[in-house]
Amino acid sequence: MHKKLVLGTLLVCAIVIWLAAAWLDANSHARIQVNVTKSAEKEWFVVYQFDEQVARVTFVRNPDHTRLQRWQPVESEFYLAIDSETGHEYIARVDGQTFTTVAFKLDASYVALRKDYAPFTPFSDGGTAWFTGRFKVCPEHCASALKFSYQFTMQAPLADFIRLPEQSQRGQLTWQESASDGQMVYVGPQQLMAASDTKFETIIDPILPDSLKRSLTRDVPPLTNYFNQRMPHLTERPMLLASFSATRNGQFGYQGGVVANQMVLHWYGHSLAERANAPYFVEDTLWFVAHEFAHLYQASQFSNEDAWLHEGAAEFMALSYLRSIRTNGVYLDRRVATARETCVSTEQRYQVHYACGLLWAAEIDQYIKKTYPHGLFFLWFMYVEQLTDAPRTNATPLYFELLSELTDDAFAAQLRERIQTRYQRLPTL
Ligand SMILES: [Zn+2]
């Protein structure tokens, strides 16, 4: 009897604690529904739904103010504007009233954002990849103690496959995301291939020149081997999206990015067939792919404060890979010489990340190689492993701690000092 009473009391306590936890969770959490639609007429829309009334909705990522031109409110009582204090884009009603739902028609063409992933990456066969991070919003403002979670739904005509890594659906796909970066969603005619023999899930634009397509298929296995020998292995099968879109403003080039375990390579501009024959196109492409590969293996350990750390390392890892397969030495020497010149003279912060970053990484590599044959890769191996085990917001101190361990305190301190001085030389904004 006595035992039963104790057990009963414990059970009641457990239920109370469970209810309290559920209540706290529900009240510290804001769930946002984001429905993206591609219509039969190939028009794109986004509809937001909030559980509670909101007076304003702020975007999480604000690399520029292009939403103002590219997003049209479906109903005229809504508008998009820029917060004068934070510079962030937000949605509100013209009459200042609250709301729980709002819809926009979207411009799904390609736009290269310098500081962020392209919101839409079109493929020439009618496919499109879009970046979920672009659509994440916070009710009112983002500086809140609330945790946000997003329920995304993508709807598309039945002819299209809607794809996320290892997932493919026709018609509709629903998934959950936290407030973290985001991922690429592919919507188009290319279906998922069996995982059996490919280490990569690939979505490759058929319009890319044959030489480029061949090189992507040919270079991926040796690149994977090279990085697997030096860095912690990837935990999931990565997805490679390679595409091309024409531009009307005469701009051309390529842009890549890695988000989670997806690698996006996009070429834009005029005819690629012509460019594919230009001198060093093959080498440039390989460098570009190897650089993005390095990011994939860096396992999202990207420092916003010290971008030289991952960009410089990716540049150096690309150089090392190209050297290992005996790429044209003249080309490689020229790349290093250009980085040297740029590092001395540039006033652009992002160029310091890449150009000086490459040289600093090379210097680190040389020093570590005195003791450990894998040089900079070994430092990154330890860095990625430790950050995966214990993530931290500012990882730069850990990088220098490990560097001291693998070299010596004097070298690490002296390099850190030089890096700081180089950034201080940049003109203030
Ligand atoms: Zn990069």
Side-chain angles (χ1 to χ4, degrees):
M1 191 65 196
H2 182 66
K3 252 187 198 166
K4 267 191 188 161
L5 187 67
V6 172
L7 281 176
T9 317
L10 281 174
L11 185 67
V12 170
C13 287
I15 291 171
V16 169
I17 290 170
W18 182 80
L19 284 174
W23 183 86
L24 273 174
D25 192 47
N27 286 283
S28 62
H29 233 96
R31 202 170 56 106
I32 298 140
Q33 288 189 45
V34 190
N35 301 325
V36 178
T37 308
K38 178 189 170 189
S39 74
E41 290 75 35
K42 298 187 172 60
E43 288 181 322
W44 287 75
F45 297 91
V46 61
V47 181
Y48 289 102
Q49 262 172 356
F50 307 94
D51 291 344
E52 310 273 332
Q53 292 283 337
V54 287
R56 175 192 270 228
V57 172
T58 309
F59 288 94
V60 174
R61 299 171 84 94
N62 296 276
D64 58 16
H65 300 141
T66 45
R67 286 188 191 92
L68 265 56
Q69 291 90 48
R70 297 171 58 93
W71 293 43
Q72 302 302 326
V74 171
E75 290 160 303
S76 57
E77 55 259 48
F78 288 94
Y79 67 93
L80 263 170
I82 303 158
D83 185 285
S84 55
E85 264 177 44
T86 61
H88 293 174
E89 289 162 308
Y90 69 88
I91 306 165
R93 272 180 70 111
V94 178
D95 59 12
Q97 294 297 303
T98 59
F99 55 95
T100 54
T101 180
V102 57
F104 291 87
K105 184 168 185 274
L106 307 163
D107 176 347
S109 61
Y110 183 76
V111 58
L113 307 179
R114 181 179 279 181
K115 289 189 226 135
D116 209 347
Y117 305 98
F120 288 95
T121 307
F123 285 59
S124 64
D125 59 3
T128 304
W130 60 273
F131 175 52
T132 60
R134 178 75 168 167
F135 295 88
K136 290 185 180 174
V137 293
C138 311
E140 309 307 338
H141 50 82
C142 294
S144 145
L146 285 177
K147 268 198 225 132
F148 301 112
S149 64
Y150 299 86
Q151 177 171 305
F152 280 94
T153 299
M154 173 76 220
Q155 283 175 307
L158 285 173
D160 285 330
F161 294 95
I162 305 168
R163 289 177 58 181
L164 284 173
E166 308 298 347
Q167 289 187 67
S168 178
Q169 288 289 328
R170 285 185 194 266
Q172 181 171 316
L173 184 67
T174 298
W175 68 96
Q176 308 286 336
E177 287 191 26
S178 67
S180 65
D181 280 359
Q183 55 185 333
M184 298 292 168
V185 187
Y186 171 81
V187 182
Q190 298 198 35
Q191 56 179 305
L192 179 65
M193 296 301 205
S196 53
D197 54 354
T198 71
K199 286 193 175 133
F200 261 79
E201 206 182 312
T202 51
I203 304 179
I204 295 178
D205 195 325
I207 209 176
L208 290 176
D210 284 344
S211 58
L212 196 55
K213 279 188 280 194
R214 266 200 310 276
S215 124
L216 285 175
T217 6
R218 194 190 50 220
D219 296 326
V220 164
L223 267 164
T224 312
N225 288 340
Y226 185 82
F227 280 92
N228 277 348
Q229 282 162 13
R230 291 163 176 80
M231 298 281 275
H233 289 195
L234 304 177
T235 47
E236 287 159 10
R237 184 166 74 137
M239 185 192 252
L240 167 67
L241 300 111
S243 53
F244 172 79
S245 63
T247 47
R248 272 163 275 165
N249 54 9
Q251 280 186 340
F252 67 93
Y254 48 74
Q255 250 215 346
V258 166
V259 54
N261 65 334
Q262 294 171 301
M263 187 195 293
V264 187
L265 310 172
H266 187 72
W267 285 264
Y268 57 94
H270 52 81
S271 157
L272 250 190
E274 234 171 78
R275 274 155 64 196
N277 295 322
Y280 296 137
F281 180 82
V282 175
E283 289 85 352
D284 274 339
T285 304
L286 198 53
W287 182 295
F288 165 45
V289 175
H291 175 107
E292 298 306 333
F293 242 83
H295 285 326
L296 201 59
Y297 278 82
Q298 286 172 343
S300 305
Q301 303 304 344
F302 306 140
S303 157
N304 286 334
E305 304 299 308
D306 299 287
W308 65 269
L309 212 144
H310 59 266
E311 292 304 352
E315 284 290 271
F316 179 78
M317 288 171 180
L319 171 69
S320 307
Y321 173 72
L322 266 69
R323 268 189 190 141
S324 80
I325 57 159
R326 306 193 185 288
T327 302
N328 185 337
V330 177
Y331 169 80
L332 295 180
D333 292 346
R334 201 200 56 166
R335 291 265 334 207
V336 176
T338 310
R340 264 209 184 94
E341 285 157 28
T342 309
C343 179
V344 171
S345 58
T346 189
E347 297 197 332
Q348 302 282 336
R349 181 169 291 267
Y350 82 94
Q351 287 190 330
V352 176
H353 301 330
Y354 289 78
C356 304
L358 166 62
L359 306 174
W360 296 327
E363 226 181 295
I364 293 172
D365 181 73
Q366 232 180 10
Y367 208 114
I368 298 179
K369 272 203 177 121
K370 288 180 186 175
T371 328
Y372 306 96
H374 281 164
L376 182 84
F377 283 95
F378 188 46
L379 170 61
W380 268 87
F381 184 97
M382 294 169 69
Y383 182 61
V384 167
E385 282 226 309
Q386 294 209 13
L387 287 177
T388 313
D389 288 348
R392 45 181 97 185
T393 32
N394 180 10
T396 311
L398 173 67
Y399 193 79
F400 279 98
E401 263 168 47
L402 294 171
L403 180 61
S404 291
E405 267 175 46
L406 299 181
T407 59
D408 54 64
D409 292 347
F411 172 76
Q414 182 261 95
L415 180 71
R416 196 170 194 173
E417 173 89 38
R418 259 192 299 135
I419 292 169
Q420 268 170 6
T421 316
R422 181 61 188 90
Y423 278 103
Q424 279 160 6
R425 261 179 49 207
L426 286 172
T428 42
L429 295 172

